[in-house]
Amino acid sequence: MDDQNKNLILATGLSFLVIMVWFFLFPPPEAVTQDEPTVATQETALAPSATPDAPMTAVPPDAELPETRRVAIDTPRLQGSISMLGGRLDDLSLKSYHETLDPGSQIVRLLSPVGEPNAYYALYGWTPAGALDYEDVPGANTTWTQVGGSTLGVDQPVTLEWDNGQGLVFTRTISVDDHYMFTISQTVENRTGEAVRLAPYGIVARHGKPLNLQNFFVLHEGAVGRADGKLTETKYDDIAELPQVAREGALAEVVEAQQDGWIGFTDKYWMTTLIPQQGQPFSSVTKYVPGADIYQAETREQLVTVAPGGTAEVSSRLFAGAKEWEAIRAYQNEGAIEPTEGAEPIPGFIDSIDWGWFFFLTKPIFAVLHWLNQMIGNMGLAIIALTFLLKALVLPLAYKSYVSMARMKELQPELEALRERAGEDKMLMQREMMRLYKEKQVNPAAGCLPILIQIPIFFSLYKVIFVTIELRHAPFFGWLKDLSAPDPSSIFNFFGLAPWAAPAPGSTMALIFIGILPILLGISMWLQQKLNPAPTDKAQAMIFAWMPWVFMFMLGHFASGLVLYWIVNNVITFSQQYVIMRSHGHHPDLFGNIKAGFSRKSAAQGAGKAANDSRPPAAKKRKP
């Protein structure tokens, strides 16, 4: 077997091994169906502590929540309501996103109130210090009064008010932009004769783990935050294993940020994040309350002293919505979607999207893919265009590799002559081969590079397609209506021509009866192989023969956008290699190699039949 085939087998085998490891270590995520937890009908979020002596308080387990008035939320992208009990943002749905591809399906609901399964909400308040007590400041169970009667909308804020009856009047003004950013301005007016001290806080509370938690290794779900430039991602299981902190009365981690940061909970596509005023110190807290099964993310800002007759105001923000790259990047760089005076940029906010270990590749790859999609208007065509750009980027290296492979072909007669002269002397053969390679300026390992280059790109694109919401339910053409999902077509029902349904996604039948895209992938890999004759070694030839079809079934359940990329990549690689080989005087006999492959199979079958026929009759029959 010549060195070119050895290199190709080595490179193909290595990529196959990597895909196999990926396949078994990181299988496709399956929807996790949890038993519906017993949900308390009372508020159990803990109030944060402002001083070491301030007690942790919680509503008693047998407390009942009264029915309270709600203020509606209605924007181009959001709908829901705010509860006057605690002034909580606890009812929020995303108008632009449906649960399934069916446009008649329910829109995605992000936040839900206590009393519903897996309650998930944000609340704000003040922590008392000095002579104040918790009854003197608004908290989780304070009943607010709306000032005015408007619905919360874009350029239409709502104002809530609460008078503690002892000289302190609290006001909360909530506004929202046309995407997913809320601004919460909290004001306290001191009508008493003495100065008061208190600290503002924000909480995002989640009762139990999400019902649709995917528990997929390459996907982060749980708490995500940033403090002074350091990103922290903590999965739910890890939150539940945090150390017990006596002052918090729970399992917790407290991080003191000096300049900037944010913290919240992230799902695959959605996020709820507290963003305190940047440029000032604050405490960032991740907490788990085992008895109530509540996960909390908190921000605690500095103590405020309000003089008699004075007023203090603190403003913070809450992101609650879809992790759209363009919007999150605008919040990071400009502080707002549209240029807004006084808007504070949010450092590192783009990292709330889970870019993974290959972030140095996933970030630029997605930025280019997003730009292409905006230019073309079709995500599938954008993936194809991205493939061409990536192939153009690595073309110089690929060109050298293909040239080296072509030169290896030219050296085959000389290598055969060397083998004859060296005979059984392997040391002599190796030495003479190295001399020949050096003399002809040929790198025998160069043939591996084109395939090896694709591995990190493949994994990075896999991550991009899997985690970015821009790929969710993104259609291509025809039957491919969601490039983030596997090809829904199936051999089982003749790709939709038969009157019965295809196997359910994720089932064993679905893994066997693959769709159109995986089959095209196998064919493209097979044709790429046929640019070169099959290895003379029978074992190696068998590996080559099976490789495309093994890959076809292995990648059949991957996102159709990723399979589309691989097919286009194979076609481009085939074309490049064909042109470069011809330019160096080697004319690939594609059809001859295909015919030879079938001829060998026929010959092998004929030899097997002849051997069987030559056996005596008694040997042909096997005893039962």
Side-chain angles (χ1 to χ4, degrees):
M1 181 175 60
D2 59 44
D3 291 280
Q4 182 180 358
N5 279 329
K6 286 182 180 178
N7 291 329
L8 192 55
I9 289 173
L10 176 62
T12 306
L14 181 58
S15 61
F16 177 75
L17 177 62
V18 173
I19 295 294
M20 284 289 291
V21 171
W22 183 272
F23 179 79
F24 287 108
L25 290 183
F26 315 133
E30 297 181 0
V32 177
T33 304
Q34 296 178 334
D35 294 332
E36 186 171 301
T38 302
V39 180
T41 58
Q42 65 276 345
E43 175 56 65
T44 50
L46 299 180
S49 130
T51 68
D53 298 327
M56 300 297 294
T57 62
V59 177
D62 57 351
E64 294 184 2
L65 292 179
E67 290 292 332
T68 60
R69 183 171 173 269
R70 287 184 169 272
V71 177
I73 301 172
D74 190 12
T75 76
R77 288 177 169 82
L78 299 171
Q79 72 178 40
S81 62
I82 302 170
S83 172
M84 292 296 96
L85 183 65
R88 308 175 205 165
L89 280 158
D90 63 356
D91 175 24
L92 196 65
S93 298
L94 313 181
K95 291 182 177 180
S96 303
Y97 298 96
H98 291 260
E99 293 287 355
T100 68
L101 283 170
D102 182 2
S105 63
Q106 293 290 326
I107 60 175
V108 172
R109 192 178 190 191
L110 179 63
L111 303 180
S112 56
V114 174
E116 294 190 10
N118 291 78
Y120 184 23
Y121 51 89
L123 60 88
Y124 289 82
W126 295 83
T127 303
L132 293 179
D133 202 351
Y134 280 99
E135 289 75 17
D136 301 324
V137 295
N141 292 330
T142 300
T143 302
W144 292 77
T145 301
Q146 183 179 4
V147 179
S150 62
T151 294
L152 176 60
V154 179
D155 298 323
Q156 189 174 309
V158 298
T159 300
L160 313 180
E161 187 177 87
W162 181 69
D163 189 333
N164 74 349
Q166 300 180 37
L168 296 180
V169 178
F170 296 87
T171 304
R172 183 178 298 169
T173 300
I174 305 174
S175 57
V176 63
D177 65 8
D178 61 353
H179 279 69
Y180 310 110
M181 190 67 78
F182 294 84
T183 300
I184 295 90
S185 297
Q186 298 191 87
T187 303
V188 54
E189 180 183 357
N190 184 5
R191 298 176 182 175
T192 70
E194 298 179 357
V196 295
R197 299 172 67 233
L198 65 174
Y201 67 82
I203 294 177
V204 174
R206 196 157 207 171
H207 291 215
K209 295 179 182 179
L211 287 176
N212 60 349
L213 190 67
Q214 298 198 27
N215 280 320
F216 194 29
F217 181 80
V218 298
L219 172 67
H220 174 66
E221 297 167 291
V224 60
R226 189 177 187 269
D228 294 335
K230 182 180 180 182
L231 181 72
T232 303
E233 297 176 327
T234 313
K235 290 184 176 289
Y236 289 104
D237 289 342
D238 295 329
I239 297 174
E241 294 179 357
L242 290 173
Q244 180 74 28
V245 179
R247 179 183 174 186
E248 302 295 333
L251 308 176
E253 179 182 37
V254 181
V255 176
E256 301 297 337
Q258 300 302 316
Q259 290 296 323
D260 55 64
W262 39 269
I263 189 171
F265 289 107
T266 180
D267 300 315
K268 182 177 181 179
Y269 297 123
W270 333 110
M271 180 173 65
T272 307
T273 308
L274 302 163
I275 307 160
Q277 190 169 346
Q278 303 295 283
Q280 297 183 6
F282 73 97
S283 297
S284 174
V285 184
T286 306
K287 180 186 296 183
Y288 178 64
V289 187
D293 191 24
I294 294 179
Y295 299 86
Q296 288 187 193
E298 304 175 6
T299 57
R300 303 171 188 169
E301 301 186 55
Q302 292 180 302
L303 281 168
V304 175
T305 300
V306 188
T311 300
E313 181 178 1
V314 177
S315 182
S316 61
R317 286 174 287 178
L318 173 75
F319 178 93
K323 295 190 292 185
E324 296 172 359
W325 177 82
E326 194 167 4
I328 289 179
R329 188 183 62 158
Y331 291 131
Q332 171 183 276
N333 298 337
E334 308 296 335
I337 301 297
E338 300 294 336
T340 305
E341 184 178 355
E344 288 185 335
I346 308 171
F349 203 44
I350 199 71
D351 291 330
S352 60
I353 300 173
D354 182 16
W355 300 109
W357 298 334
F358 292 101
F359 62 90
F360 51 89
L361 287 177
T362 52
K363 284 184 176 181
I365 283 176
F366 178 77
V368 174
L369 181 62
H370 181 75
W371 176 76
L372 289 171
N373 184 44
Q374 287 186 316
M375 296 289 293
I376 300 172
N378 182 285
M379 187 59 79
L381 294 178
I383 290 174
I384 293 174
L386 174 68
T387 311
F388 275 91
L389 288 177
L390 291 173
K391 294 295 288 185
L393 190 64
V394 300
L395 180 59
L397 184 57
Y399 179 81
K400 291 182 180 179
S401 300
Y402 295 141
V403 167
S404 180
M405 293 173 67
R407 288 178 178 173
M408 288 291 293
K409 278 287 183 185
E410 298 170 4
L411 292 180
Q412 290 310 306
E414 296 183 57
L415 289 172
E416 289 297 331
L418 280 178
R419 290 189 181 94
E420 292 180 5
R421 290 198 304 269
E424 298 296 325
D425 191 343
K426 294 183 180 181
M427 293 293 294
L428 175 63
M429 178 65 189
Q430 189 68 22
R431 187 168 58 252
E432 290 298 314
M433 283 176 60
M434 292 299 103
R435 182 190 60 77
L436 182 63
Y437 291 152
K438 185 177 180 180
E439 180 183 322
K440 300 295 184 179
Q441 296 183 343
V442 173
N443 181 4
C448 303
L449 293 178
I451 296 177
L452 295 180
I453 291 171
Q454 298 304 320
I455 294 174
I457 295 176
F458 175 83
F459 287 164
S460 298
L461 191 60
Y462 172 87
K463 182 76 171 182
V464 164
I465 292 174
F466 185 68
V467 304
T468 56
I469 196 169
E470 287 76 7
L471 270 294
R472 180 183 187 265
H473 295 176
F476 185 31
F477 292 117
W479 75 100
L480 295 172
K481 302 184 184 301
D482 184 1
L483 289 169
S484 68
D487 184 345
S489 63
S490 174
I491 303 174
F492 184 76
N493 62 353
F494 302 102
F495 311 113
L497 297 177
W500 53 82
S507 65
T508 304
M509 293 283 285
L511 295 176
I512 298 173
F513 293 99
I514 55 178
I516 296 174
L517 277 186
I519 293 173
L520 292 177
L521 172 65
I523 293 173
S524 67
M525 293 185 70
W526 177 71
L527 287 174
Q528 193 175 342
Q529 281 187 359
K530 295 305 176 182
L531 283 176
N532 296 292
T536 55
D537 182 88
K538 293 182 178 180
Q540 303 292 353
M542 184 179 67
I543 294 174
F544 255 67
W546 281 102
M547 192 72 72
W549 318 120
V550 172
F551 267 81
M552 179 179 72
F553 283 99
M554 284 179 55
L555 299 181
H557 71 285
F558 276 52
S560 53
L562 190 67
V563 180
L564 175 64
Y565 159 78
W566 196 284
I567 293 170
V568 177
N569 179 75
N570 286 346
V571 172
I572 298 173
T573 300
F574 175 93
S575 303
Q576 288 178 340
Q577 190 173 353
Y578 185 87
V579 170
I580 292 172
M581 291 175 74
R582 285 187 64 89
S583 68
H584 283 76
H586 179 68
H587 299 277
D589 187 8
L590 179 65
F591 295 104
N593 293 336
I594 293 174
K595 184 178 179 181
F598 285 110
S599 298
R600 280 190 297 271
K601 289 181 182 178
S602 300
Q605 291 172 358
K609 184 177 184 301
N612 185 61
D613 290 342
S614 65
R615 295 164 62 193
K620 294 181 183 180
K621 294 184 179 180
R622 304 181 68 180
K623 293 182 180 181

